[in-house]
Amino acid sequence: MKYVGLFIKKLLRYLLKPLSFVPAILVMYLIFSFSSQDGVSSARLSLAVSRKVVTVADEVLEKDWDAQQIAHYTERIHYYVRKTAHVTEYFVLAVTVAFPLYVYGVRGLWLVFSAGIFCVSFAGLDEYHQSFVAGRGPSVRDVAIDSIGVLPGIILVRIVGFIGRKTIFRPLALRKK
């Protein structure tokens, strides 16, 4: 029975380790699809999100703003909502890229370096891709903004991985001896 459990454990590792890259591929597809939207569609989407943020703030803070005030505040935060979306999507990309690397044993500065270079390179390629989309263009500033989300994402994976190795998976490591 001991060997059956060991076999199942090895089989699951063999099958699940390669699947750990699937979330990163899905996030890259999502980023690519957002970048494929023309300028008008992209602006319309982020404007709708900005309007929703202002509307929720109006309700929560009980300000009773009229439509003109909501439009004014929506316009004021629109730029920041767009850039926060950049940071957030690349934070998620960094987590989904760093996690499989961590699973495959890449640790420490090598994890930061390899996942960081990959994510920043993807941001650059994504901006280059936007040069072929109507109403959009590449921006070095957007690559820099995207990069802001990368390091915290990688650090989060390092922290969670370290805590996991010291707590949850420590009993598994002790059984090997």
Side-chain angles (χ1 to χ4, degrees):
M1 194 65 181
K2 175 178 149 182
Y3 294 108
V4 172
L6 185 62
F7 173 75
I8 291 172
K9 185 176 173 182
K10 293 268 187 195
L11 181 66
L12 283 174
R13 278 191 183 160
Y14 179 75
L15 293 175
L16 293 179
K17 273 178 102 172
L19 291 177
S20 65
F21 286 100
V22 171
I25 293 167
L26 292 175
V27 170
M28 288 187 287
Y29 174 76
L30 182 70
I31 291 171
F32 184 81
S33 66
F34 281 140
S35 295
S36 297
Q37 294 177 337
D38 61 84
V40 174
S41 299
S42 176
R44 190 178 310 126
L45 176 64
S46 62
L47 199 59
V49 172
S50 300
R51 187 174 298 113
K52 185 66 174 175
V53 168
V54 170
T55 305
V56 168
D58 178 37
E59 291 172 8
V60 169
L61 300 174
E62 299 175 355
K63 293 289 189 177
D64 295 325
W65 291 326
D66 60 15
Q68 185 179 6
Q69 288 174 310
I70 289 175
H72 169 73
Y73 289 120
T74 298
E75 197 59 43
R76 283 188 65 185
I77 70 164
H78 182 236
Y79 174 81
Y80 299 104
V81 167
R82 286 183 72 87
K83 299 313 167 189
T84 302
H86 278 261
V87 171
T88 304
E89 65 188 3
Y90 278 89
F91 173 83
V92 173
L93 178 64
V95 168
T96 59
V97 166
F99 178 72
L101 293 175
Y102 193 89
V103 166
Y104 275 94
V106 180
R107 305 276 197 277
L109 288 178
W110 285 111
L111 178 67
V112 174
F113 183 73
S114 58
I117 291 294
F118 181 84
C119 292
V120 172
S121 298
F122 186 79
L125 289 172
D126 184 51
E127 288 299 319
Y128 177 70
H129 161 252
Q130 287 182 23
S131 66
F132 300 106
V133 178
R136 309 272 308 255
S139 168
V140 174
R141 182 172 55 178
D142 279 351
V143 173
I145 291 169
D146 296 341
S147 301
I148 292 170
V150 171
L151 187 60
I154 296 169
I155 290 172
L156 177 67
V157 169
R158 288 191 65 200
I159 291 169
V160 170
F162 178 78
I163 291 171
R165 283 186 309 152
K166 296 299 179 188
T167 58
I168 298 169
F169 299 112
R170 184 169 179 84
L172 296 175
L174 293 177
R175 286 186 203 155
K176 289 180 183 178
K177 294 180 180 179

